[in-house]
Every structure is written in structure tokens, then in C-alpha cells.
Amino acid sequence: MTTSTRVRAAFACPLPMPLSAFSVALLAAGLAAVPVSALALTQAQAAGGSPSPRAKSSQHKSTSQESTTLSTVNVSGHAMRPLPPALASAPAVVESVTAAQIHDTVNLMTTAEALKYLPSIEVRERFIGDRNGIVGTRTTGTVSSAESLVYADGMLLSNLLGNSYAFPPRWGLVSPSEIERVDVMYGPFSALYPGNSMGGVITLETRMPTRREFHAAVIGSLERFNLHGTHQRNGSGDFNLAAGDRWGVFSLWATYDHLAAQGHPASFSTAAVSDKTASGDATVVAGARQDIDQNGQPRKVFGAYAIDHSAQDLGKLKLGWDISPALHAYYTLGVWHNDSQTAVSSYLTDLATGQPFYNGSVSIDGNAYKVSGLNPGTADETHLLNALSLGTDTHGPFDWNIDYSDYRYLKDDARSASNYGQSDAGKNTVMDGTGWQTGELRGTWRPASWLGQTHVLTFGYHIDDFRLRQSTYALADWRNGPNGALTAASGGQTQTQALYLQDTWMLAPRWTLTLGGREEYWRAFDGFNRNVSTTPTLANYARQSRTDFSPKAALSFDFTPSLMTRLSFGRAVRYPTVTELYQQVTSGNQLVQNNPNLKPEDVRSYDWTTQYTRNENVFRLSLFQQNLRDALFSQTDTTVSPSLTAIGNIDRARIRGAEGAVNATDIGVPGLDLSGSVTYAQSVVQKDTPSPAAAGKQFPRIPRWRARATLTYHAGDRLTYALGYRYASGAYSTLLNTDIDHDTYGGISRYSVFDAKLSYRLATHLTASIGVDNLGNEKYYVSPHPYPQRTVFAGLRYGD
């Protein structure tokens, strides 16, 4: 059965999930809530509604901010259009940033960088062009890719095939120039989103034209990178062209983006200092560096690898059709291609030949070492996105929408050497045919009055399907040779269906109660795994399924028109991904072991937020707590060779803390704006049956302190200065917190980084900019990789 056939079959079934009492109640309540008259909106009602969800917003920063209150959510920003409906009714903290703010403050070369200064958000972008940009939030770490959600215009960009560095959101399907705004909802407090929202939900809204438009942008960067024996000057550049127009009821937006990026080394080949005498056949080498590792032990550093040079291209077409004043349809087609090479640099010299040495047994000062990991590779990837949205956005009595998206790996080959310097042999990992589909049916009813009170009811049905197909072939020639014998294969599918209902209930002029629930039916099937080294006999895994109900509740009170407080609760169930269940990976000296018996993560989250708005300034204080049961975590044992990464459940963990945020305009001087936040999070592992010694330890990858701030000064209509600041305390990457030296390669560093940007409007539609990230050239790390060192940017942007 083809992918499209499977989706048609799923939607053909009226309710293809087991019915519980709550499922029936959700469906009945949703259907009963829709009055017949609501389905026939008059043209006058439609004209009085909100603008189209893709209506163009202001592209130029005014000297003041506009504060908007929507339902129980308060947000601030520059001439912002309304929040997406799903976030407008969210009983949770929502922080937003507009395109104007982003262009003023961020040295923007990739879409992921647009989130740089939002509270508690960290995108693990190790270098420009990094495809592994995992999002970390105030309660989730920087490799927990399945514990937060990223959408663009309602399309899922999160890659929920896995929960690791290898499955980042598909940032490349959105070009930086098309972003209209970014919104972040913190925590799993909305019934409209799956359990993967435990960390938060990020939505990217992109532009659609209201008239003929043309946009072009070019930006270049230069990074000075020095670490161990590597000294590089890394140049990168991004070029974007976009055009759009509107003809009556039809609109079109087309964009092309090309990113050519040279990255610094993502990893280094290391080994603990040895006192073992080398054998007579070991190669005698010189050139190794020595330092202290993250565990406080001396080590040797043999060379750098994963030095990425990529050329990424995006072609995208968006079509809009206003079928009627109330009904709109949008179609999106995106093609992303990546052609990359990862190089290696050895510090070792074979003293007998004078040539670089890459992999194998060596003698250093008479002691024995094993050098590994210095293997180059290439990647050839072509991915396709199709998405369709149909619905109304009138803010009248009733709105509805249907969303469908299909993301496919048309071609995904990753070739690498197995023993570079010793042979041409290698492997090719092929993931052609992997992908996912999502579907959403949603309705929103806003009765004029119900028992004398105001209600907004949102209800719907969700389905997603994730499919993994991975095969690894031996190569006699890793560069250009044909695929040889199949050495490993894994695959499987997961599917989640859900019914949900959420009621935003205005109890009284000052009180708002939000109640919701989401019932999810999850199943995993067709799982298999075979590896000639570890599982020579094909393993076929049994089907499994389960049903869970996640209640949501929030109560909001407005003390005054300027001061509000809200208490929120939400349960979320995050199901194991298809790769956690079925994918076993051998890469160099690393083995990732799957686990078909994983339990889903079960999260109870709490948030108490108080917010004060005065004139156009917003001050927020949030207290939060997240209780985790059966938290899914990958732990790597480096004491064995190959190192073993095993996925398991942690019985109980807790993360709690406080966050303060401010958005202020004209502070002391007209045109001087401040946006900033400080977050404190105390995380602890409470019980871990497989590793009892972990109890009482800090939960991995959650720093105690984070801070983000931007100071922007608009010196008239043409010139803008911006200073950015990012801070995080050190964190652990291991359950036992053995990585005590945070500020070295392999640790998770404390960092305190300043960025700067200057923009000058040369003409009405033409702006030039220069900037610097990491002004102080701080060397800092996210286990085990180095982050960018000082990088200079220069750009030119034209926009109608």
C-alpha cells in the first residue's frame, strides 16, 4: 500500500481509533456544538473578521511596541497580527517575535537563528549550515528532538522519527526571508497539540502577498576558529530570491534560497592517556595534543573530524485561493536538497613516512593508543514537502480547517569511509522512502452567549504516521563505488490518532476558565531490525498499542486591565519514536542500541504566570514545574568499545523553576527598546531503577540558569543598533553527573556571549547590515561539540 493510499484509508474510516467514553463525549460535544446557522456565515460577518492568516504585516520597525491581549494569553511585539488560532486560545505563556525584530537584532543566515533571543530557548546549531539544530526549552535538553514541536503555517517541521541529534526540525523548508513572526508556547497546556508539546510548541508564520512583491537578500559570514591543532577561517554565504503577487482571489509566493556553508570541526578524535606499552607493529607517530577531558582526566587529542562543507538549496511555492470571503485554501510545495562533504584533519604524523596518520594502532612516546573516527564522508539528500490547508478564519460564530502534510525522503544517502588512511572501504546508509504524514480536522465555535457566559470551543481529530526505512551497504570504494552487500537494515511505523476538545470559558468579566482533554490512540507496527555484527538473524517486533487521556486546565484572573495571573495544568504522553523502538545504528566506534520495550514518557506540568502591562511595556513572572515518569533518555557507555548508547526509561524526575521576562520600549531614550529574560531551573532525577546511583543527580542537559536579552536603539528612521546577550550555566550530559569539567570539549559549558548588529536603510526598500556574533570569542561547548567562535556578518536586503 502506498503512502497516499494509507492516508486515504485512514481518513475514509469515520473513527479509526478505539472508542472510550471520553472519545464519544469529545465527538458528541464537538458535533453538537456546531449550529447549522454557523455554517452559513454572511458576507458582512466575514468582512468583520480577522485578516487572512497569511495577510501581510508591517516590515518596518516602528518606535513603539503594541501589546495585544488575546483570550488568556498576553503577547507583545511590533504591529503584530493576531496569533494563530491554536495559540490564541492557549492557556499558557506565549512569547513572540516579529520579522522586524528579528532583522533588527539577529545576524540571520539560517531560520533556526530567528529563535536566538526568545526566553529559555536554545537551538543546538553547532555551526552555520548545521542540519542538526535541535531545540532545547526550559524543561528539555538539546538532544531531545521529540519533546517539543515546530510548525510552519500549520505544517509539522519536527522530525518525530527519532529523539536525538539526528532528527532535528526541518528548518531548511523555511527560508529566513519569508518569516513573518515566530511564536513559542511553553509547556503541554493546550489540548490542541500532541504529547510531544511537553517542552513547548514553536510556530513559524510566513508571508503571503497582498500585492506584487519582490525580495532579495545576500549575507556572508567569516568565522575565526582555533581549537587544539585546528586553525580555520570559515566563510559561509546565503542568497535568497523571492517574489509574490495577488490576482483577485488568487495569490502566489515563490522563493529560492541557497546556503553555502563551511563549518568548523564538530568532533575530535581523543583517547585517555595510556600507560600501556605499544606493540612492535604499532605505527610510531608524533603531533598529538594533550588536555583534560570532561571527566577531569588527562587525554590525547589526535585530530578533528566532521568538518562540514554543505551546499543547501530550497525551492518553494505557495499558492492561495480565497474561495469565498470566508473560505481560504493554501497549497505549499517545497523541495530541499543538500550536498555536503565532511572532511578530517589529523594532527598525527607517521614518523617513518612523514605522512598524516588517520586510523589504527599507534605508538606515542612508547605508549599504545587506538586512533579512530577520522573518517570523511559525503551526503546527498533530496526531501519533498507537500501541504494543503482549507478553512475559514472569520472569528465569527464558527470556523473550521482541514490540514494535511506529507514529508518524504526522496533521496537520502550518507557515504563514509570505514578506515580512512588504511583502505578505501566504507559504507552507505540509505533512508529513501522514510517520511511522515499528518492530518488535522478542527472546528472552533464561538456562541454569542451560553447561559449568560462566553465560550470558545475548539474540537478536532488528529492523525499522524511516521515511517522509517534504513539500509546500510558495504562499499569497496566509499567515494564513488556501487552499493555492495547489505550489512544492516531497520524499519517500522508508528501512528497516533487523537480526539480533543478545549473550552475557553469566560466565567465572569475577570475570570477565564479553560478546560480541555486529548485522547490519543498510539500504535507501533511492522518493526524489524537486522545487523550482521549484532543481530545476524532478522528481528521482527510484535505490534503494540495503547490509549491515553491527557486532561488540561487553566484558571485566569484579571486583577486590573493591566495585571493578570493564571494557573495552568497539563498532562502529556510522549510515545516512543520509531527509531527508539526499532533502529540500531553502528557508526565508527559507536553503537546505538534500540529498545522495542520502551514505555511512553508521562508528564504532569504546572505553570503559574503573573503578567503586568503598563502602556506598551510587559513584565512577566512564571513559576513552573514538570514531573516526569518513565522519561526516555539515551545514555552512552564510553568504557566499552565500540561505545554503547542505550535508550531506557528513568522512573521519575522533576524540573521546576522560575522565569522572568520583560519587553519595554523607549526606556529613558525614545527609540531604545529592551527585551530580556532570566530562567532558573532546578532539575533532579528522583528514581532510576537501571541506575540507582543517579537518584538525586541533576537531570542531564538542563542548565540551572539561562538569560537572553536584546537592547535595540533606533537612531531615526534609517539607523538601528542592536546588542544581544546569551548566557547559560554549565550542565551535565550524563545521568551520574560524572562530566564535572564543563568548559572543555566533551562538556556542556557555561557561556556568556555578546552579539552586535548595525543596520542602515540605504533606500526605501534597501537595507545593509554588519554584525558580530560572540564578540568576546568565547570557546564554549554542547556535549561534545564546540559552538561557533567569533563570527563576522555582512548583508544586504531588498524588500518591497
Side-chain angles (χ1 to χ4, degrees), residues 632-651:
L632 289 165
F633 184 75
S634 299
Q635 181 72 30
T636 301
D637 182 359
T638 58
T639 64
V640 297
S641 184
S643 64
L644 176 64
T645 298
I647 304 166
N649 290 105
I650 299 173
D651 298 75

Side-chain angles (χ1 to χ4, degrees), residues 515-576:
L515 296 174
R518 186 179 184 94
E519 178 133 329
E520 294 173 304
Y521 170 62
W522 170 86
R523 62 192 185 108
F525 53 99
D526 294 345
F528 66 91
N529 193 356
R530 181 172 182 266
N531 188 303
V532 295
S533 301
T534 59
T535 53
T537 302
L538 179 67
N540 287 300
Y541 300 107
R543 292 181 173 227
Q544 52 182 306
S545 64
R546 60 177 290 154
T547 302
D548 293 279
F549 172 62
S550 298
K552 320 280 185 176
L555 182 63
S556 174
F557 176 69
D558 295 333
F559 293 99
T560 70
S562 299
L563 180 64
M564 63 80 66
T565 190
R566 179 185 57 246
L567 183 64
S568 303
F569 165 79
R571 182 198 183 200
V573 178
R574 203 279 281 179
Y575 297 106

Side-chain angles (χ1 to χ4, degrees), residues 672-690:
L672 183 62
D673 300 341
L674 171 67
S675 177
S677 64
V678 177
T679 306
Y680 172 78
Q682 183 188 69
S683 62
V684 62
V685 176
Q686 297 173 307
K687 181 182 179 182
D688 185 22
T689 299

Side-chain angles (χ1 to χ4, degrees), residues 55-68:
K56 180 181 177 182
S57 67
S58 172
Q59 292 299 297
H60 181 63
K61 166 73 169 70
S62 66
T63 59
S64 66
Q65 282 186 318
E66 177 180 88
S67 180
T68 306

Side-chain angles (χ1 to χ4, degrees), residues 566-630:
R566 179 185 57 246
L567 183 64
S568 303
F569 165 79
R571 182 198 183 200
V573 178
R574 203 279 281 179
Y575 297 106
T577 61
V578 65
T579 58
E580 289 173 304
L581 294 168
Y582 302 136
Q583 183 191 56
Q584 185 179 114
V585 178
T586 303
S587 177
N589 61 342
Q590 298 179 345
L591 172 64
V592 179
Q593 180 69 55
N594 66 301
N595 185 350
N597 301 312
L598 293 172
K599 302 175 185 177
E601 293 181 297
D602 194 337
V603 174
R604 267 80 168 177
S605 292
Y606 307 85
D607 181 277
W608 182 19
T609 289
T610 300
Q611 185 163 293
Y612 177 68
T613 304
R614 182 176 181 181
N615 297 327
E616 294 163 345
N617 303 321
V618 181
F619 306 89
R620 174 176 61 84
L621 176 64
S622 299
L623 305 178
F624 59 89
Q625 178 164 313
Q626 191 169 90
N627 298 329
L628 295 87
R629 290 184 179 272
D630 298 318

